[in-house]
């Protein structure tokens, strides 16, 4: 292949989501318009105003060995599952461990361990608390476990940027390669925090959908009747490589990571602001050396909140225009928080590679204030030359990624 040695290629993809236990199943689910949102069956959900979530389609314990599963939090488990798939998909590159880095972002880290072990402490005392509690609850646990699993000695990093964490992890991976600090970076996001406390908090904040009687129709980005996001769990990971390194081993590439833009709003702890998003998109375009007109597809962050979707629609129109084909796959997967940005990036990469954009489901009454070409009904087919993946998070975190076709 003809290689621009300054390029950073995406050579591996991995995921475990409410739609499937790997990339193929997840992508097939997106193209089929299938929802991964289900009722929460546990008794603890009965008294909550929110009783729906995007649970994993395949339990990580079906993939990991018993001892490792017992010593890792669910967030760490999904990171390992996705990273192993991405690494295998990249052909398990033979790389100097000192030139291999890991960047796995998360929004809450080992929240299930922290809350669960606190319950144990209160009910049974200190002697019943697991000795693995701290390594299981720490936010850097997913990155640390993936680095151990792959033998990566070039750094293990953990962006914690709420729902922008996974995208910011990929942006940091791009920087590490460009700065000459690594030849290969395993980057993405992981999240697993379906628990009464987060659900109660989101319900009190009126951020979560309460369509408990019709879970598959609850997440409805850009729809006039949207009433909030749906919590979900999972992980999505990519393998990034210096183009010259990939060429030397004749690796296949899915896409080029052409640019990234990261900004902060510095305005409000939860309310997104279009201005910060516009700056992130423009930085990503400038970094990729592209004009707005070059972007033909946008994978929107679009969580299905009334204010958030509208803010993003306005920022896309201002920073890129109304010409791109837009989709919002959270309508099917729910909101994976710290893994949302990397899963959105993965969907954009596959849309670019395969020339097909999944439809946004549940978009039955389009919000008249959203002046975008949002795909509905059936996937949209056609060759794409550049794609933008948006990711935004509480705290005013904005991370946007630009991908172009593989050489």
């Amino acid at each position: 292949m003809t290689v621009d040695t300054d390029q950073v290629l995406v050579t591996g993809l991995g995921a475990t989501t409410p739609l499937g236990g790997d990339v193929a199943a997840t992508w097939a689910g997106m193209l089929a318009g299938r929802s991964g949102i289900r009722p929460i069956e546990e008794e603890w959900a009965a008294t909550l105003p929110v009783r729906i979530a995007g649970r994993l389609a395949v339990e990580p314990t079906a993939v990991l060995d018993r001892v490792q599963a017992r010593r890792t939090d669910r967030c760490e488990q999904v990171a390992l599952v996705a990273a192993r798939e991405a690494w295998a998909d990249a052909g398990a590159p033979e790389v100097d461990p000192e030139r291999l880095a890991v960047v796995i972002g998360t929004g809450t880290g080992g929240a299930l361990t922290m809350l669960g072990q606190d319950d144990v402490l209160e009910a049974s005392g200190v002697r019943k608390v697991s000795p693995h509690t701290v390594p299981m609850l720490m936010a850097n646990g997913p990155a640390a476990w993936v680095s151990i699993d792959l033998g990566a000695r070039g750094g293990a990093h953990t962006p914690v940027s709420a729902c922008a964490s996974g995208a910011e992890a990929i942006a940091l991976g791009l920087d590490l390669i460009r700065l000459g600090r690594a030849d290969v970076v395993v980057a993405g996001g992981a999240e697993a925090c379906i628990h009464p406390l987060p659900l109660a908090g989101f319900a009190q904040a009126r951020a979560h959908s309460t369509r408990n009687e019709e879970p598959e129709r609850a997440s409805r980005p850009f729809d006039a009747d949207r009433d909030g996001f749906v919590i979900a769990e999972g992980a999505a990971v990519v393998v990034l490589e210096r183009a010259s390194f990939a060429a030397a081993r004749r690796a296949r590439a899915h896409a080029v990571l052409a640019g990234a833009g990261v900004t902060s709003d510095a305005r409000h702890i939860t309310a997104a602001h279009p201005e910060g998003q516009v700056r992130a998109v423009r930085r990503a375009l400038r970094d990729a050396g592209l004009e707005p007109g070059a972007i033909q597809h946008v994978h929107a962050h679009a969580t299905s909140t009334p204010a958030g979707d509208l803010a993003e629609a306005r920022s896309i129109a201002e920073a890129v225009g109304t010409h791109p084909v837009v989709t919002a796959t959270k309508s099917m997967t729910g909101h994976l928080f710290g893994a949302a940005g990397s899963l959105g990036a993965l969907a954009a990469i596959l849309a670019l590679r395969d020339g097909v954009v999944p439809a946004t489901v549940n978009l039955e009454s389009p919000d008249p204030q959203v002046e975008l070409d949002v795909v509905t009904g059936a996937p949209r087919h056609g060759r794409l030359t550049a794609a933008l993946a948006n990711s935004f998070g509480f705290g005013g975190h904005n991370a946007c990624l630009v991908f172009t076709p593989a050489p």
Side-chain angles (χ1 to χ4, degrees):
M1 62 181 175
T2 302
V3 174
D4 179 346
T5 56
D6 292 330
Q7 287 184 330
V8 174
L9 305 182
V10 180
T11 59
L13 302 173
T16 181
T17 75
L19 293 180
D22 55 23
V23 170
T26 297
W27 185 231
M30 289 180 177
L31 293 178
R34 181 164 49 85
S35 175
I37 311 304
R38 301 288 182 270
I40 299 174
E41 303 292 349
E42 288 88 342
E43 290 184 7
W44 54 255
T47 59
L48 292 176
V50 171
R51 299 186 296 278
I52 55 176
R55 285 284 175 84
L56 291 173
V58 177
E59 284 296 310
T61 50
V63 180
L64 304 176
D65 68 66
R66 185 175 59 84
V67 174
Q68 187 168 46
R70 190 174 67 247
R71 295 180 178 179
T72 49
D73 180 82
R74 192 172 178 85
C75 182
E76 297 168 339
Q77 293 171 8
V78 295
L80 281 165
V81 170
R84 287 177 180 178
E85 183 190 6
W87 190 249
D89 184 49
E94 292 186 10
V95 56
D96 180 351
E98 301 290 338
R99 304 289 297 168
L100 172 62
V102 171
V103 192
I104 305 292
T106 184
T108 64
L112 295 182
T113 292
M114 177 179 288
L115 294 167
Q117 289 301 304
D118 181 65
D119 289 343
V120 170
L121 177 63
E122 294 292 332
S124 305
V126 66
R127 291 185 178 275
K128 294 296 183 179
V129 173
S130 169
H132 303 292
T133 295
V134 173
M136 290 172 69
L137 68 81
M138 60 192 193
N140 63 304
W145 272 112
V146 171
S147 72
I148 292 167
D149 200 54
L150 299 179
R153 299 179 182 177
H157 309 272
T158 306
V160 180
S161 309
C163 307
S165 301
E168 192 163 337
I170 295 173
L172 178 54
L174 176 67
D175 288 344
L176 289 173
I177 293 175
R178 284 176 170 175
L179 291 169
R181 296 176 180 172
D183 292 317
V184 181
V185 179
V186 178
E191 201 74 89
C193 61
I194 299 174
H195 181 279
L197 184 59
L199 279 166
F202 287 130
Q204 288 295 95
R206 298 184 179 179
H208 200 290
S209 174
T210 55
R211 291 177 182 265
N212 297 311
E213 305 309 316
E214 44 183 6
E216 295 183 353
R217 299 180 68 238
S219 183
R220 42 201 318 112
F222 300 128
D223 190 84
D225 296 324
R226 64 191 183 275
D227 71 329
F229 61 74
V230 177
I231 190 172
E233 61 184 357
V237 173
V238 300
V239 175
L240 306 176
E241 289 192 46
R242 185 183 308 282
S244 57
F245 185 88
R249 69 182 192 89
R250 298 186 177 182
R252 171 215 58 196
H254 295 285
V256 176
L257 174 53
V262 176
T263 66
S264 53
D265 292 347
R267 288 175 180 266
H268 194 278
I269 198 64
T270 56
H273 197 279
E275 187 270 339
Q277 298 175 5
V278 168
R279 286 189 293 111
V281 172
R282 286 176 174 167
R283 284 189 183 186
L285 290 171
R286 185 165 58 248
D287 190 40
L290 296 177
E291 295 297 323
I295 299 296
Q296 294 181 314
H297 168 49
V298 176
H299 185 281
H301 180 65
T303 64
S304 187
T305 61
D309 286 10
L310 186 56
E312 183 178 13
R314 289 171 175 167
S315 72
I316 292 172
E318 181 177 345
V320 182
T322 58
H323 65 277
V325 175
V326 178
T327 196
T329 57
K330 289 182 183 69
S331 59
M332 294 170 276
T333 65
H335 193 358
L336 277 68
F337 300 157
S342 52
L343 182 56
L346 187 148
I349 291 165
L350 292 171
L352 191 68
R353 186 195 72 184
D354 296 349
V356 56
V357 176
T360 302
V361 304
N362 300 324
L363 184 48
E364 299 163 356
S365 302
D367 187 330
Q369 298 183 83
V370 175
E371 299 177 347
L372 300 174
D373 181 13
V374 183
V375 182
T376 61
R380 188 87 58 86
H381 293 264
R383 182 174 176 271
L384 302 170
T385 56
L388 170 72
N390 284 342
S391 189
F392 312 123
F394 280 4
H397 301 281
N398 308 302
C400 300
L401 306 170
V402 173
F403 299 95
T404 55

